[in-house]
Every structure is written in C-alpha cells, then in structure tokens.
Amino acid sequence: MSTSSFWSGPVRGGAPSAAQSASSAGLTAAGNLFDKAVGALAQGDEDKARRLAAQAADRPFDDHEGIWPGPWAAHFALFQLVTNEIEEWPEGDHTWIDALEDLAAGASGRQLRELRHLAAVLRQDARLLGVDEHEARQLGRLTGGADPAEQPADEVSEVERADYVLELARLVLAAENRFGSPGEPMPAPGERRRPDPGDASVRGGSPRRA
C-alpha cells in the first residue's frame, strides 16, 4: 500500500500498462459517481445521493493501487478541494484556516477523522503548499494527533464503505459552501459553489501563493 496522501496517477513514464489504464479508469469512474453524489446532496436529493455513493463504494478493488476506489475517490476529492483553495488564497490571508476549523468544529466520527488527517497532511506538506509557520501551527492543533501516513480510507470495512462515501460527500459539500471569498453569499438551494481557480475575480485579484 502506498503511503501517499492522495492518489497521484499510475503513469511513471512511457505508455501506461493495461493494469495502469484499468486502475485509472476505475478511479475516474468512482470520482465521477462521488461528484454526482455531492451534486445530489446540493439539490436536496438524499435518496439519489445515497444510491450514487453506494455505486461508488461498490467499484471493484483496485489491485494495481491496492485500494477501494470509492472511499479513495472521496478522500481525494476533499484533499483536492482544500489544497486548491490554499494555493489560490491571497498571501498573508489566514482565513482559510478559520474555514477549516469551522468545518472541524461541526464534524464528528468519519468526517472529523478525515479532517484531522487532512490537517496532518497539510502540515506535513506545508512548504510544498506555501503554508506559512502561523498556519502550520494552527494545523498542528487541528490534527488531534492524526498520523498523515495512516489513511482513514484504508480503515473502512466492506459494510461501512457506502456510508463512508456518503458522509464524505456531505463533508465536501459543506467545504465547498464554507470556502469562498469573504462576504460572498451562500449558494442558493440546488447550487454548488465551485469557483474557477483561474478566475482572478474569485479572490478580488489578490496575489496568489508562490
């Protein structure tokens, strides 16, 4: 099992093997189902979200990566959302940490374990992500002692996978709605706040992190 904090793709040079191609396709399919589950929750369709989460959870085991694609797609979606926000956040503005703390304060169980693990990974990769010392200290308080090398998704049993994926879909939707420019209105029911990272207006044209 890889100890990477997220799946980064199987291609390491040259054309992908058949196993790599199948792995990538399976993870992409699980990611698409997860994203649709988040969208269903945004529209208030709990039943549809639950069905989609179950379909993602039922994706067959990935022998190449040694993972269950559904839980890992959910795990990666949260990681990608938050790291994209960090990279686009204005230099010297620490309010993204406040958003993460707010999410953790309202979370419990699986969601809280994921957020603590996320904080541990962000702290570990602080230099790579442009996280400063002040932010790293705040992240340290959020970890709850979580080990960045111990993946919450790896601990999910077969009977828990569908519920786990659904819980992370709820968390990702909450994160989408919590992050954003200060003063930006909350999205209307059925809408998702998914800003284009390349749109300077999202951050008022503020300088990005290096």
Coordinates of all heavy atoms in Angstrom, one line a residue, residues 104-195:
A104 N -14.2 21.5 11.2 CA -13.9 20.5 12.2 C -14.8 20.7 13.4 O -15.1 19.6 14.0 CB -12.4 20.7 12.5
A105 N -15.1 21.9 13.8 CA -15.9 22.1 15.0 C -17.3 21.5 14.8 O -17.9 21.1 15.8 CB -16.0 23.6 15.3
G106 N -17.8 21.4 13.6 CA -19.1 20.9 13.4 C -19.1 19.4 12.9 O -20.2 18.9 12.6
A107 N -17.9 18.8 12.9 CA -17.8 17.4 12.4 C -17.6 16.5 13.6 O -17.3 16.8 14.7 CB -16.6 17.3 11.5
S108 N -17.9 15.2 13.3 CA -17.7 14.1 14.2 C -17.5 12.8 13.4 O -17.7 12.8 12.2 CB -18.9 14.0 15.2 OG -20.0 13.6 14.5
G109 N -17.1 11.8 14.1 CA -17.0 10.5 13.5 C -16.1 10.5 12.3 O -14.9 11.0 12.3
R110 N -16.5 9.9 11.2 CA -15.7 9.7 10.0 C -15.3 11.1 9.4 O -14.1 11.2 9.0 CB -16.5 9.0 8.9 CG -17.0 7.6 9.2 CD -17.7 7.0 8.1 NE -18.2 5.7 8.3 CZ -19.5 5.4 8.7 NH1 -20.4 6.4 8.8 NH2 -19.9 4.1 8.9
Q111 N -16.2 12.1 9.5 CA -15.8 13.4 8.9 C -14.7 14.0 9.7 O -13.8 14.6 9.1 CB -17.0 14.3 8.9 CG -18.1 13.9 8.0 CD -19.3 14.8 8.0 OE1 -19.4 15.7 8.8 NE2 -20.2 14.7 7.0
L112 N -14.7 13.9 11.0 CA -13.7 14.5 11.8 C -12.4 13.8 11.6 O -11.3 14.5 11.6 CB -14.1 14.5 13.3 CG -13.1 15.2 14.3 CD1 -12.9 16.6 13.9 CD2 -13.7 15.1 15.7
R113 N -12.4 12.5 11.5 CA -11.2 11.7 11.3 C -10.5 12.2 10.0 O -9.3 12.3 9.9 CB -11.4 10.2 11.3 CG -11.6 9.7 12.6 CD -11.5 8.1 12.6 NE -12.6 7.5 11.8 CZ -13.8 7.2 12.3 NH1 -14.1 7.5 13.5 NH2 -14.7 6.6 11.5
E114 N -11.4 12.4 8.9 CA -10.8 12.8 7.6 C -10.2 14.2 7.7 O -9.2 14.5 7.2 CB -11.9 12.8 6.6 CG -12.1 11.5 5.9 CD -11.0 11.1 5.0 OE1 -10.2 12.0 4.5 OE2 -10.9 9.9 4.6
L115 N -10.9 15.1 8.5 CA -10.4 16.5 8.6 C -9.1 16.5 9.4 O -8.2 17.3 9.1 CB -11.5 17.4 9.2 CG -12.7 17.7 8.3 CD1 -13.8 18.4 9.1 CD2 -12.2 18.6 7.2
R116 N -9.0 15.7 10.4 CA -7.8 15.7 11.2 C -6.6 15.1 10.4 O -5.5 15.6 10.4 CB -8.0 14.8 12.4 CG -8.8 15.5 13.5 CD -9.1 14.6 14.7 NE -9.7 15.4 15.8 CZ -10.2 14.8 16.9 NH1 -10.2 13.5 17.0 NH2 -10.7 15.6 17.9
H117 N -6.9 14.1 9.6 CA -5.9 13.5 8.7 C -5.5 14.6 7.7 O -4.3 14.7 7.4 CB -6.4 12.3 8.0 CG -5.4 11.7 7.1 ND1 -5.5 11.9 5.7 CD2 -4.3 10.9 7.2 CE1 -4.5 11.3 5.1 NE2 -3.7 10.7 6.0
L118 N -6.5 15.3 7.1 CA -6.2 16.3 6.1 C -5.3 17.4 6.7 O -4.3 17.8 6.1 CB -7.5 16.9 5.6 CG -7.3 18.2 4.7 CD1 -6.6 17.8 3.4 CD2 -8.7 18.7 4.4
A119 N -5.6 17.8 8.0 CA -4.7 18.8 8.6 C -3.3 18.3 8.8 O -2.3 19.0 8.7 CB -5.4 19.2 10.0
A120 N -3.2 17.0 9.2 CA -1.9 16.4 9.3 C -1.1 16.4 8.0 O 0.1 16.7 8.0 CB -2.0 15.0 9.9
V121 N -1.7 16.1 6.9 CA -1.1 16.1 5.6 C -0.7 17.5 5.2 O 0.4 17.7 4.7 CB -2.0 15.4 4.6 CG1 -1.4 15.6 3.2 CG2 -2.2 13.9 4.9
L122 N -1.6 18.4 5.4 CA -1.3 19.8 5.0 C -0.1 20.3 5.8 O 0.8 21.1 5.3 CB -2.5 20.7 5.3 CG -3.7 20.4 4.4 CD1 -4.9 21.3 4.8 CD2 -3.4 20.5 2.9
R123 N -0.1 20.0 7.1 CA 1.1 20.4 7.9 C 2.4 19.8 7.5 O 3.4 20.4 7.4 CB 0.8 20.1 9.4 CG 1.9 20.6 10.4 CD 1.6 20.1 11.8 NE 2.5 20.6 12.7 CZ 2.8 20.0 13.9 NH1 2.2 18.9 14.2 NH2 3.6 20.6 14.7
Q124 N 2.3 18.5 7.1 CA 3.5 17.8 6.7 C 4.0 18.4 5.4 O 5.2 18.5 5.1 CB 3.1 16.3 6.4 CG 4.2 15.5 5.8 CD 3.8 14.1 5.5 OE1 4.1 13.2 6.3 NE2 3.1 13.8 4.4
D125 N 3.1 18.8 4.5 CA 3.4 19.3 3.1 C 3.4 20.9 3.1 O 3.2 21.5 2.0 CB 2.5 18.8 2.1 CG 2.6 17.3 1.9 OD1 3.6 16.7 2.4 OD2 1.7 16.6 1.4
A126 N 3.6 21.5 4.3 CA 3.4 22.9 4.4 C 4.3 23.7 3.4 O 3.8 24.6 2.7 CB 3.8 23.4 5.8
R127 N 5.5 23.3 3.2 CA 6.4 24.1 2.3 C 6.0 23.9 0.9 O 5.9 24.9 0.1 CB 7.9 23.6 2.4 CG 8.6 24.1 3.7 CD 10.0 23.8 3.6 NE 10.7 24.2 4.8 CZ 12.0 24.1 5.0 NH1 12.8 23.6 4.0 NH2 12.6 24.6 6.1
L128 N 5.6 22.7 0.5 CA 5.1 22.5 -0.9 C 3.9 23.3 -1.2 O 3.8 23.8 -2.3 CB 4.9 21.0 -1.0 CG 4.3 20.5 -2.4 CD1 5.4 20.7 -3.4 CD2 3.9 19.0 -2.3
L129 N 3.0 23.5 -0.2 CA 1.7 24.1 -0.5 C 1.8 25.6 -0.2 O 0.8 26.3 -0.4 CB 0.7 23.5 0.4 CG 0.3 22.1 0.1 CD1 -0.6 21.5 1.2 CD2 -0.4 22.0 -1.2
G130 N 2.9 26.1 0.3 CA 3.1 27.5 0.6 C 2.4 27.9 1.9 O 2.0 29.1 2.1
V131 N 2.2 27.0 2.8 CA 1.6 27.2 4.1 C 2.7 27.8 5.0 O 3.8 27.2 5.2 CB 1.0 25.9 4.7 CG1 0.6 26.1 6.1 CG2 -0.1 25.4 3.9
D132 N 2.4 28.9 5.6 CA 3.4 29.6 6.5 C 3.4 29.0 7.9 O 2.6 28.1 8.2 CB 3.2 31.1 6.5 CG 1.9 31.6 7.1 OD1 1.4 30.9 8.0 OD2 1.4 32.6 6.7
E133 N 4.4 29.5 8.7 CA 4.6 28.9 10.0 C 3.3 29.1 10.9 O 3.0 28.2 11.7 CB 5.8 29.5 10.7 CG 7.1 29.2 10.0 CD 8.3 29.7 10.7 OE1 8.1 30.3 11.8 OE2 9.4 29.6 10.3
H134 N 2.7 30.3 10.8 CA 1.5 30.5 11.6 C 0.4 29.5 11.3 O -0.2 28.9 12.1 CB 1.0 32.0 11.4 CG -0.3 32.3 12.0 ND1 -0.5 32.5 13.3 CD2 -1.6 32.4 11.4 CE1 -1.8 32.7 13.5 NE2 -2.5 32.6 12.4
E135 N 0.2 29.3 10.0 CA -0.8 28.4 9.5 C -0.5 27.0 9.9 O -1.4 26.2 10.3 CB -1.0 28.5 8.0 CG -1.6 29.9 7.6 CD -1.5 30.1 6.1 OE1 -0.6 29.5 5.4 OE2 -2.3 30.9 5.6
A136 N 0.8 26.6 9.8 CA 1.2 25.3 10.2 C 1.0 25.0 11.7 O 0.6 23.9 12.0 CB 2.7 25.1 9.9
R137 N 1.2 26.0 12.5 CA 0.9 25.8 13.9 C -0.6 25.6 14.2 O -1.0 24.7 15.0 CB 1.4 27.0 14.7 CG 2.9 27.1 14.9 CD 3.3 28.1 16.0 NE 2.8 29.5 15.6 CZ 3.6 30.3 14.9 NH1 4.8 29.9 14.5 NH2 3.2 31.5 14.6
Q138 N -1.4 26.3 13.4 CA -2.9 26.1 13.6 C -3.3 24.7 13.1 O -4.1 24.1 13.7 CB -3.6 27.2 12.8 CG -3.6 28.6 13.4 CD -4.5 29.6 12.7 OE1 -4.0 30.2 11.7 NE2 -5.7 29.7 13.0
L139 N -2.7 24.3 12.0 CA -3.0 23.0 11.5 C -2.6 21.9 12.5 O -3.2 20.9 12.7 CB -2.2 22.7 10.2 CG -2.7 23.4 9.0 CD1 -1.8 23.3 7.8 CD2 -4.1 22.9 8.6
G140 N -1.4 22.2 13.2 CA -1.0 21.2 14.2 C -2.0 21.0 15.3 O -2.2 19.9 15.8
R141 N -2.7 22.1 15.7 CA -3.8 22.0 16.7 C -5.0 21.3 16.2 O -5.8 20.7 17.0 CB -4.2 23.4 17.2 CG -3.1 24.1 18.0 CD -3.6 25.3 18.7 NE -3.9 26.4 17.8 CZ -3.0 27.3 17.4 NH1 -1.8 27.3 17.8 NH2 -3.4 28.3 16.6
L142 N -5.2 21.3 14.9 CA -6.3 20.6 14.3 C -6.2 19.1 14.1 O -7.1 18.4 13.9 CB -6.7 21.2 12.9 CG -7.5 22.5 12.9 CD1 -7.6 23.0 11.4 CD2 -8.9 22.3 13.4
T143 N -4.9 18.6 14.1 CA -4.7 17.2 13.7 C -5.2 16.3 14.7 O -5.5 15.1 14.4 CB -3.2 17.0 13.6 OG1 -2.5 17.2 14.9 CG2 -2.5 17.9 12.6
G144 N -5.3 16.7 16.0 CA -5.7 15.7 17.0 C -4.8 14.5 17.1 O -5.3 13.4 17.5
G145 N -3.6 14.7 16.8 CA -2.6 13.6 16.8 C -2.7 12.7 15.7 O -2.0 11.6 15.7
A146 N -3.4 13.0 14.6 CA -3.5 12.1 13.4 C -2.2 11.9 12.8 O -1.4 12.9 12.7 CB -4.5 12.7 12.5
D147 N -1.9 10.7 12.3 CA -0.7 10.4 11.5 C -1.0 10.6 10.0 O -1.9 9.9 9.5 CB -0.3 9.0 11.8 CG 1.0 8.6 11.2 OD1 1.5 9.3 10.2 OD2 1.6 7.6 11.6
P148 N -0.2 11.4 9.3 CA -0.5 11.6 7.9 C -0.3 10.4 7.1 O -0.9 10.3 6.0 CB 0.5 12.7 7.5 CG 1.6 12.7 8.5 CD 0.9 12.3 9.8
A149 N 0.4 9.4 7.6 CA 0.7 8.2 6.8 C -0.4 7.1 7.0 O -0.5 6.1 6.3 CB 2.0 7.6 7.2
E150 N -1.3 7.4 8.0 CA -2.4 6.4 8.2 C -3.7 6.9 7.6 O -4.3 7.9 8.1 CB -2.6 6.2 9.7 CG -1.4 5.5 10.4 CD -1.6 5.3 11.9 OE1 -2.7 5.6 12.4 OE2 -0.7 4.7 12.5
Q151 N -4.1 6.3 6.5 CA -5.2 6.8 5.7 C -6.5 6.3 6.3 O -6.8 5.1 6.4 CB -5.1 6.3 4.3 CG -3.7 6.5 3.6 CD -3.4 7.9 3.4 OE1 -4.3 8.8 3.5 NE2 -2.1 8.2 3.3
P152 N -7.4 7.3 6.6 CA -8.8 6.9 7.1 C -9.5 5.9 6.1 O -10.2 5.0 6.6 CB -9.5 8.2 7.3 CG -8.4 9.2 7.5 CD -7.3 8.7 6.6
A153 N -9.3 6.1 4.8 CA -10.0 5.3 3.9 C -9.6 3.8 3.9 O -10.4 3.0 3.6 CB -9.7 5.8 2.4
D154 N -8.4 3.6 4.4 CA -7.9 2.2 4.5 C -8.6 1.4 5.6 O -8.5 0.2 5.6 CB -6.4 2.2 4.7 CG -5.6 2.6 3.5 OD1 -6.2 2.7 2.4 OD2 -4.4 2.9 3.7
E155 N -9.1 2.1 6.6 CA -9.7 1.5 7.7 C -11.2 1.2 7.6 O -11.8 0.6 8.5 CB -9.5 2.4 9.0 CG -8.1 2.8 9.2 CD -7.9 3.9 10.3 OE1 -9.0 4.3 10.8 OE2 -6.8 4.3 10.6
V156 N -11.8 1.5 6.4 CA -13.2 1.4 6.3 C -13.5 -0.1 5.9 O -12.9 -0.6 4.9 CB -13.7 2.3 5.2 CG1 -15.2 2.2 5.0 CG2 -13.4 3.7 5.5
S157 N -14.4 -0.7 6.6 CA -14.8 -2.1 6.3 C -15.8 -2.2 5.1 O -16.3 -1.1 4.7 CB -15.5 -2.7 7.6 OG -16.7 -2.1 7.8
E158 N -16.0 -3.3 4.6 CA -16.9 -3.5 3.5 C -18.3 -3.0 3.8 O -18.9 -2.3 2.9 CB -16.9 -5.0 3.1 CG -17.8 -5.2 1.9 CD -17.8 -6.7 1.5 OE1 -17.1 -7.5 2.1 OE2 -18.5 -7.1 0.5
V159 N -18.8 -3.3 4.9 CA -20.2 -2.9 5.2 C -20.3 -1.4 5.5 O -21.4 -0.8 5.5 CB -20.7 -3.6 6.5 CG1 -20.8 -5.1 6.2 CG2 -19.9 -3.4 7.7
E160 N -19.2 -0.7 5.7 CA -19.2 0.7 6.0 C -18.9 1.6 4.8 O -19.1 2.8 4.8 CB -18.1 1.1 7.1 CG -18.4 0.5 8.4 CD -17.2 0.8 9.4 OE1 -16.1 0.6 9.0 OE2 -17.5 1.2 10.5
R161 N -18.5 1.0 3.7 CA -18.0 1.8 2.6 C -19.0 2.8 2.0 O -18.7 3.9 1.8 CB -17.4 0.9 1.4 CG -16.1 0.3 1.7 CD -15.4 -0.1 0.5 NE -16.1 -1.2 -0.2 CZ -15.9 -2.5 -0.1 NH1 -15.0 -2.9 0.8 NH2 -16.5 -3.4 -0.8
A162 N -20.2 2.3 1.8 CA -21.2 3.2 1.2 C -21.5 4.4 2.1 O -21.6 5.5 1.7 CB -22.5 2.4 0.9
D163 N -21.7 4.1 3.4 CA -21.9 5.2 4.4 C -20.8 6.1 4.5 O -20.9 7.4 4.6 CB -22.2 4.6 5.8 CG -23.6 4.0 5.9 OD1 -24.5 4.3 5.0 OD2 -23.8 3.2 6.8
Y164 N -19.6 5.6 4.4 CA -18.4 6.4 4.4 C -18.3 7.4 3.2 O -18.1 8.6 3.4 CB -17.1 5.5 4.4 CG -15.8 6.2 4.3 CD1 -15.1 6.6 5.5 CD2 -15.2 6.5 3.1 CE1 -13.9 7.3 5.4 CE2 -14.0 7.1 3.0 CZ -13.3 7.5 4.2 OH -12.1 8.1 4.1
V165 N -18.6 6.9 2.0 CA -18.6 7.7 0.9 C -19.7 8.8 1.0 O -19.4 10.0 0.6 CB -18.8 6.9 -0.4 CG1 -19.0 7.8 -1.6 CG2 -17.6 5.9 -0.6
L166 N -20.8 8.4 1.5 CA -21.9 9.4 1.6 C -21.5 10.5 2.7 O -21.8 11.7 2.4 CB -23.2 8.7 2.0 CG -24.4 9.6 2.2 CD1 -24.8 10.3 0.8 CD2 -25.6 8.8 2.7
E167 N -20.9 10.1 3.8 CA -20.5 11.1 4.8 C -19.5 12.0 4.2 O -19.5 13.2 4.5 CB -19.9 10.3 6.0 CG -21.0 9.7 6.9 CD -21.9 10.8 7.5 OE1 -21.4 11.7 8.1 OE2 -23.1 10.6 7.2
L168 N -18.6 11.5 3.4 CA -17.6 12.4 2.8 C -18.2 13.3 1.7 O -17.7 14.4 1.6 CB -16.4 11.6 2.2 CG -15.2 11.6 3.2 CD1 -15.5 10.9 4.5 CD2 -14.0 11.1 2.5
A169 N -19.2 12.8 1.1 CA -19.9 13.7 0.1 C -20.6 14.9 0.9 O -20.5 16.0 0.4 CB -21.0 12.9 -0.6
R170 N -21.1 14.6 2.0 CA -21.7 15.7 2.8 C -20.6 16.7 3.3 O -20.8 17.9 3.3 CB -22.4 15.1 4.1 CG -23.7 14.3 3.8 CD -24.4 14.0 5.0 NE -25.6 13.2 4.8 CZ -25.8 12.0 5.1 NH1 -24.8 11.3 5.6 NH2 -26.9 11.3 4.8
L171 N -19.5 16.1 3.6 CA -18.4 17.0 4.1 C -17.8 17.8 2.9 O -17.5 19.0 3.1 CB -17.2 16.1 4.7 CG -16.0 16.8 5.2 CD1 -16.4 17.8 6.3 CD2 -15.0 15.8 5.7
V172 N -17.7 17.2 1.8 CA -17.2 18.0 0.6 C -18.1 19.1 0.3 O -17.7 20.3 0.0 CB -16.9 17.1 -0.6 CG1 -16.8 17.9 -1.9 CG2 -15.7 16.2 -0.3
L173 N -19.4 18.8 0.3 CA -20.4 19.9 0.0 C -20.3 21.0 1.1 O -20.4 22.2 0.7 CB -21.8 19.3 0.0 CG -23.0 20.3 -0.2 CD1 -22.8 21.0 -1.6 CD2 -24.3 19.6 -0.2
A174 N -20.2 20.6 2.3 CA -20.0 21.7 3.4 C -18.8 22.5 3.2 O -18.8 23.7 3.3 CB -20.0 21.0 4.8
A175 N -17.7 21.8 2.7 CA -16.4 22.5 2.5 C -16.6 23.5 1.3 O -16.1 24.6 1.3 CB -15.3 21.5 2.2
E176 N -17.2 23.0 0.2 CA -17.5 23.8 -0.9 C -18.2 25.1 -0.6 O -17.9 26.2 -1.0 CB -18.3 23.1 -2.0 CG -17.5 22.1 -2.8 CD -18.4 21.4 -3.9 OE1 -19.6 21.7 -3.9 OE2 -17.8 20.6 -4.6
N177 N -19.2 25.0 0.3 CA -20.0 26.1 0.7 C -19.4 27.0 1.8 O -19.7 28.2 1.9 CB -21.4 25.6 1.2 CG -22.2 25.0 0.2 OD1 -22.1 25.3 -1.0 ND2 -23.2 24.2 0.5
R178 N -18.4 26.4 2.5 CA -17.8 27.2 3.6 C -16.6 28.0 3.0 O -16.4 29.2 3.4 CB -17.2 26.3 4.7 CG -16.5 27.0 5.8 CD -17.4 28.0 6.5 NE -16.8 28.8 7.5 CZ -16.0 29.9 7.3 NH1 -15.9 30.3 6.0 NH2 -15.5 30.5 8.2
F179 N -15.9 27.5 2.0 CA -14.8 28.2 1.4 C -15.3 29.2 0.4 O -16.4 29.0 -0.2 CB -13.8 27.3 0.7 CG -12.9 26.6 1.7 CD1 -13.1 25.3 2.0 CD2 -11.8 27.2 2.3 CE1 -12.3 24.6 2.9 CE2 -11.0 26.5 3.1 CZ -11.2 25.2 3.5
G180 N -14.6 30.3 0.2 CA -15.1 31.3 -0.8 C -14.6 32.7 -0.3 O -14.1 32.8 0.8
S181 N -14.8 33.6 -1.1 CA -14.4 35.0 -0.7 C -15.1 35.5 0.4 O -16.4 35.3 0.5 CB -14.5 35.9 -1.9 OG -13.8 35.5 -3.0
P182 N -14.5 36.2 1.4 CA -15.3 36.8 2.5 C -16.4 37.7 2.0 O -16.2 38.5 1.0 CB -14.2 37.7 3.2 CG -12.9 37.0 2.8 CD -13.1 36.5 1.4
G183 N -17.5 37.5 2.5 CA -18.7 38.3 2.1 C -19.5 37.8 1.0 O -20.5 38.3 0.6
E184 N -18.9 36.7 0.3 CA -19.6 36.1 -0.8 C -20.9 35.4 -0.3 O -20.8 34.7 0.7 CB -18.7 35.1 -1.5 CG -19.4 34.4 -2.7 CD -18.4 33.4 -3.4 OE1 -17.2 33.4 -3.0 OE2 -18.9 32.7 -4.2
P185 N -22.1 35.6 -0.9 CA -23.3 35.0 -0.4 C -23.2 33.5 -0.6 O -22.6 32.9 -1.4 CB -24.4 35.6 -1.3 CG -23.7 36.0 -2.5 CD -22.3 36.4 -2.1
M186 N -23.9 32.8 0.3 CA -24.1 31.3 0.2 C -24.8 31.0 -1.0 O -25.7 31.7 -1.4 CB -24.8 30.8 1.5 CG -24.0 30.9 2.8 SD -22.5 29.9 2.8 CE -23.3 28.3 2.9
P187 N -24.5 29.8 -1.6 CA -25.3 29.5 -2.8 C -26.7 29.2 -2.5 O -27.1 28.7 -1.4 CB -24.5 28.2 -3.3 CG -23.9 27.7 -2.1 CD -23.5 28.9 -1.3
A188 N -27.6 29.4 -3.5 CA -29.0 29.1 -3.4 C -29.2 27.5 -3.3 O -28.3 26.8 -3.8 CB -29.8 29.7 -4.5
P189 N -30.3 27.1 -2.8 CA -30.6 25.6 -2.8 C -30.4 25.0 -4.2 O -31.0 25.6 -5.1 CB -32.0 25.5 -2.2 CG -32.2 26.8 -1.4 CD -31.4 27.8 -2.1
G190 N -29.8 23.9 -4.2 CA -29.6 23.2 -5.5 C -28.3 23.7 -6.3 O -28.0 23.2 -7.3
E191 N -27.6 24.7 -5.7 CA -26.4 25.2 -6.4 C -25.2 24.8 -5.6 O -25.3 24.6 -4.4 CB -26.5 26.8 -6.5 CG -27.6 27.2 -7.5 CD -27.5 28.7 -7.6 OE1 -26.8 29.4 -6.9 OE2 -28.3 29.3 -8.5
R192 N -24.1 24.8 -6.2 CA -22.8 24.5 -5.5 C -21.8 25.6 -5.8 O -21.7 26.1 -7.0 CB -22.2 23.1 -6.0 CG -23.1 21.9 -5.7 CD -22.6 20.7 -6.4 NE -21.2 20.3 -6.0 CZ -20.6 19.3 -6.5 NH1 -21.1 18.6 -7.5 NH2 -19.4 19.0 -6.1
R193 N -21.1 26.0 -4.8 CA -20.1 27.0 -5.0 C -18.8 26.2 -5.5 O -18.2 25.5 -4.7 CB -19.8 27.7 -3.7 CG -18.6 28.7 -3.8 CD -18.3 29.3 -2.5 NE -19.2 30.3 -2.1 CZ -19.7 30.5 -0.9 NH1 -19.3 29.7 0.1 NH2 -20.6 31.4 -0.6
R194 N -18.5 26.4 -6.7 CA -17.3 25.7 -7.3 C -16.5 26.7 -8.1 O -16.6 26.7 -9.3 CB -17.7 24.5 -8.1 CG -18.6 23.5 -7.3 CD -18.9 22.3 -8.1 NE -17.7 21.5 -8.3 CZ -17.7 20.3 -9.1 NH1 -18.8 19.9 -9.6 NH2 -16.6 19.6 -9.2
P195 N -15.8 27.7 -7.5 CA -15.1 28.7 -8.2 C -14.1 28.2 -9.1 O -13.4 27.2 -8.8 CB -14.5 29.6 -7.1 CG -14.4 28.6 -5.9 CD -15.5 27.7 -6.0

